[in-house]
Structures are given as structure tokens and as C-alpha cells.
Amino acid sequence: MARIELDLAHAYKPNPQRDEDYALLPLKMRFDDGGAYALLGPSGCGKTTLLNIVSGLVKPSHGSVTFDGSEVTARTPQQRNIAQVFQFPVIYDTMTVAENLAFPLRNRGVAADKIKQRVGKIAEMLEMSGQLDMRAAGLAADAKQKISLGRGLVREDVSAVLFDEPLTVIDPHLKWQLRRKLKQIHHELKLTLIYVTHDQVEALTFADQVVVMTRGRAVQIGSASDLFERPQHTFVGHFIGSPGMNFLPVHWNGSGIDVAGRSMFSSVAALKLAGADKLGVRPEYVSLAAPNEAGAVPALVTQAQDIGTYWLITARVSGGEESVVRARLSPEQAIPNVGDGVWLSIVGAHTCFYKDEQLIAEANT
């Protein structure tokens, strides 16, 4: 395993001049030895480019890649000792499951008894012990991808194992099993794992640290709790959560903030709030309030959805600039109907304040 450090930018076109010319804008990042990381973001955000730069399949147009303090920017994936698992299975159909799992070890001259031991351990972890003598050609797509995962994990000497959306071909009801297995395997083998996905559930359940990316930029690195409770960028608030964070425009009035035409104050020091242009609050932290209650705004309910374990209320807030606010409410309380006027509490311990899309203060600080 290795500590991987990046200080780079990348453009596929020569002489990039604008941000739009870069696949990856300048970034500095470190993946610690033995850590489990996910690169999370929408299609085209740069996460696969970043993964391929780590592996050596792509050389960055600017900057460097180092493993344990040694520069490897010009080295191939083989020289970097990287294992990579791709979106679709990469296996030998004519070989058995055991032969496929053993192939990376045989290529490196590992002793036969060591190969048998390692293949048995990985097969057990992936719940494939009963399929070791079966030819890969006769297996379903999800089993073939499990073989690909096993080929990536079977070597003990790799610097890192990289996964590029490896569960794409897996049936949805089996994905949660493989996510659980990968988490378990990481805890047991202590490998450095970097996992690319656009699925926030995959990222947040697999990784200890998630790198959220958008438009070639890494906007936040943190745990699931960090991303949910303290989004450092409004994109993280939008992208993480179901539904995402509510955002309302705010105006600084010299001693506090105005939201929807109402003056609001919080425990945040006045200087920290100066310049804020948006308020962010998760639907989980929006609640029904009494009329004119401090920290609340009037709204008109436009939708009420019974999700089963909670109700999702959508309401339109007006007062200078119209905004939509969603609230997750317990089914045990009185649920307003579409067309009802309500008051919604939006300023509390979990409210965040943003300037130019960046977090500048939280109400609980």
C-alpha cells in the first residue's frame, strides 16, 4: 500500500486558457495508506480522469503524482504496482473462477501454495468458494464482476486498488451485498482503495472519506457526516441528500439577516454572517412553526407526499424572492394539506450560511 499525493491539473486540449478547458482544475489531494476513498460526482466532473491519473493510464498535463514521497508521474500502472477494476468485467471466459483469481499472482511468480491460500481467502470473502471450479463463461454478469473485483483484491503487494464504477452491471438488489462485502474486505485487508461512482449511496456506505467533484474541481473531502451536516459548497448541499439541501437568498441588514422579507438573528457572530447571500438547511431540519415564530418564514404548501416513514412537504416561500422549501415531517404529527398556509422554521442549530457558494458560517458556531 502507499500514501498517494497529487498536485496537478489536467487538460486534454493544448494551451488551456479558461476553466472550461480543463478536465481537472488545479488541485492538491492526499490519499493515506490503507484508507478507503470515493470520488463522487455527476458524469463529466473529472472523477474518472483523476482515477486514471492515479493509476498511470493518463499523465497529467501539469503537476505531479507521488507515492510514499517518490514521484511516479511518468511511471506506467505496472511500475506503480496498481490494480484497477473497470466498469465492465475484465476476465478470461475460458478459465475457471479459481484460474481467473490466480492469474495476477501467477504472472508475478507467486508460489503455488501461497496462490491457493490467497485465492481461497478472496473467494470466501466474495462468497464464491462454491464456484471456484466453474468456467467463467457460464456465469451471470454479476458473478463475472465479482471475479473482476477478486482479481483486483487478490494481490497483497499493490500500492492501491482502484475501482471505476464497478457495480454498474450488477442487479440493484445485489449491489448492497457487494458494497457491504467491499467494506468488510477493506477492514480485513487494509488495502488503499479508491472508488469512483456517481451514486451517493455507494460512496457514503463504502468510503471513510468522500471526495465530491463538480466541473473538474474537488469541492469537499470529508466523511458522510461532514458532507451532510457541513457542506462546504452549495453543490455538496444539492448533491448529497434525498432531497438535497434547501437554499434561500438572504440579505445582510447590518446586524442580522433578512429572509423572505423577515428579519432573522442567530447565535452566529454578526461579522461571520456579513456578506452571506444564501441560507442552507436540510429538509430534515425544517419543521412546522407557530406564526411569527423567530427563525420561521410563511409559506404555501404546494405538494405533500407520503413516503412511508415520513412525509415530504414542498412549500413556496415568498417575500421579495420566491423560493421552494422542502421539509421531512414525522407521520405522527398533523400534516398540512396542499394549499394550506404554514410557517416553517429554517434557522436553527443546523443552518448554514454561504457567500459565493462557499460556506462561511454555521448557526451552531
Side-chain angles (χ1 to χ4, degrees), residues 226-231 236-246 280-286 326-328 350-351:
D226 292 335
L227 301 178
F228 187 84
E229 297 289 351
R230 294 171 293 280
V236 180
H238 279 298
F239 197 72
I240 300 295
S242 181
M245 186 175 247
N246 297 301
V281 60
R282 294 282 184 191
E284 289 81 356
Y285 301 131
V286 177
R326 294 179 176 85
R328 287 181 55 157
H350 299 279
T351 305

Side-chain angles (χ1 to χ4, degrees), residues 115-362:
I115 291 176
K116 184 176 180 180
Q117 177 188 1
R118 188 66 178 178
V119 166
K121 179 170 183 159
I122 296 299
E124 183 179 357
M125 287 181 171
L126 293 172
E127 298 179 353
M128 299 194 77
S129 298
Q131 299 171 294
L132 283 174
D133 295 326
M134 297 177 62
R135 288 198 179 277
L139 299 177
D142 60 288
K144 290 181 178 181
Q145 188 64 336
K146 285 170 76 173
I147 297 173
S148 283
L149 293 172
R151 282 163 57 95
L153 296 165
V154 74
R155 291 166 51 202
E156 296 179 86
D157 64 341
V158 292
S159 298
V161 184
L162 312 183
F163 301 95
D164 191 358
E165 306 222 31
L167 302 186
T168 298
V169 300
I170 306 298
D171 288 339
H173 71 283
L174 294 176
K175 284 187 177 183
W176 71 271
Q177 296 179 358
L178 280 179
R179 286 198 301 265
R180 176 176 56 84
K181 277 293 170 190
L182 284 174
K183 188 82 170 178
Q184 175 189 340
I185 288 168
H186 175 254
H187 285 156
E188 292 189 23
L189 301 183
K190 307 300 182 186
L191 297 171
T192 304
L193 305 182
I194 305 176
Y195 188 107
V196 160
T197 181
H198 63 274
D199 185 326
Q200 61 171 292
V201 175
E202 284 187 19
L204 298 175
T205 55
F206 164 77
D208 299 324
Q209 293 285 305
V210 177
V211 181
V212 182
M213 300 183 67
T214 179
R215 292 177 289 184
R217 191 186 306 274
V219 289
Q220 186 172 354
I221 303 173
S223 65
S225 176
D226 292 335
L227 301 178
F228 187 84
E229 297 289 351
R230 294 171 293 280
Q232 297 295 311
H233 191 280
T234 55
F235 175 80
V236 180
H238 279 298
F239 197 72
I240 300 295
S242 181
M245 186 175 247
N246 297 301
F247 291 99
L248 290 87
V250 305
H251 303 281
W252 176 248
N253 63 26
S255 58
I257 57 171
D258 292 334
V259 182
R262 283 177 52 78
S263 181
M264 300 199 179
F265 300 87
S266 76
S267 60
V268 182
L271 288 178
K272 288 187 177 181
L273 277 182
D277 53 33
K278 282 183 183 176
L279 171 154
V281 60
R282 294 282 184 191
E284 289 81 356
Y285 301 131
V286 177
S287 58
L288 297 174
N292 296 303
E293 183 176 311
V297 293
L300 180 70
V301 176
T302 58
Q303 192 174 43
Q305 299 170 275
D306 183 358
I307 309 300
T309 56
Y310 64 91
W311 278 79
L312 182 63
I313 303 301
T314 303
R316 187 173 66 248
V317 177
S318 59
E321 297 170 90
E322 192 171 281
S323 302
V324 171
V325 172
R326 294 179 176 85
R328 287 181 55 157
L329 304 179
S330 167
E332 298 175 356
Q333 66 185 115
I335 303 298
N337 298 311
V338 173
D340 286 353
V342 296
W343 284 76
L344 297 175
S345 178
I346 60 168
V347 175
H350 299 279
T351 305
C352 298
F353 299 92
Y354 296 86
K355 178 181 180 181
D356 298 331
E357 313 305 329
Q358 300 288 333
L359 179 69
I360 61 170
E362 303 166 63

Side-chain angles (χ1 to χ4, degrees), residues 9-207:
H10 185 70
Y12 288 106
K13 59 173 66 176
N15 302 316
Q17 303 296 320
R18 304 170 302 164
D19 284 359
E20 294 77 14
D21 297 334
Y22 285 89
L24 285 176
L25 289 161
L27 61 82
K28 288 187 178 183
M29 192 178 301
R30 186 179 77 183
F31 301 104
D32 287 329
D33 187 351
Y37 297 87
L39 307 180
L40 173 65
S43 297
C45 71
K47 54 188 185 294
T48 295
T49 296
L50 181 57
L51 193 79
N52 288 337
I53 286 174
V54 172
S55 73
L57 291 175
V58 173
K59 183 179 178 181
S61 55
H62 304 79
S64 62
V65 180
T66 63
F67 284 16
D68 290 332
S70 298
E71 185 168 344
V72 299
T73 313
R75 294 183 189 174
T76 65
Q78 291 78 16
Q79 292 169 329
R80 297 184 191 195
N81 203 18
I82 288 289
Q84 191 160 359
V85 179
F86 296 93
Q87 189 171 4
F88 298 101
V90 180
I91 61 174
Y92 296 103
D93 278 343
T94 57
M95 291 184 180
T96 65
V97 172
E99 289 168 340
N100 266 287
L101 293 177
F103 190 79
L105 301 177
R106 288 204 174 99
N107 270 356
R108 287 160 180 79
V110 177
D113 58 338
K114 181 65 175 178
I115 291 176
K116 184 176 180 180
Q117 177 188 1
R118 188 66 178 178
V119 166
K121 179 170 183 159
I122 296 299
E124 183 179 357
M125 287 181 171
L126 293 172
E127 298 179 353
M128 299 194 77
S129 298
Q131 299 171 294
L132 283 174
D133 295 326
M134 297 177 62
R135 288 198 179 277
L139 299 177
D142 60 288
K144 290 181 178 181
Q145 188 64 336
K146 285 170 76 173
I147 297 173
S148 283
L149 293 172
R151 282 163 57 95
L153 296 165
V154 74
R155 291 166 51 202
E156 296 179 86
D157 64 341
V158 292
S159 298
V161 184
L162 312 183
F163 301 95
D164 191 358
E165 306 222 31
L167 302 186
T168 298
V169 300
I170 306 298
D171 288 339
H173 71 283
L174 294 176
K175 284 187 177 183
W176 71 271
Q177 296 179 358
L178 280 179
R179 286 198 301 265
R180 176 176 56 84
K181 277 293 170 190
L182 284 174
K183 188 82 170 178
Q184 175 189 340
I185 288 168
H186 175 254
H187 285 156
E188 292 189 23
L189 301 183
K190 307 300 182 186
L191 297 171
T192 304
L193 305 182
I194 305 176
Y195 188 107
V196 160
T197 181
H198 63 274
D199 185 326
Q200 61 171 292
V201 175
E202 284 187 19
L204 298 175
T205 55
F206 164 77

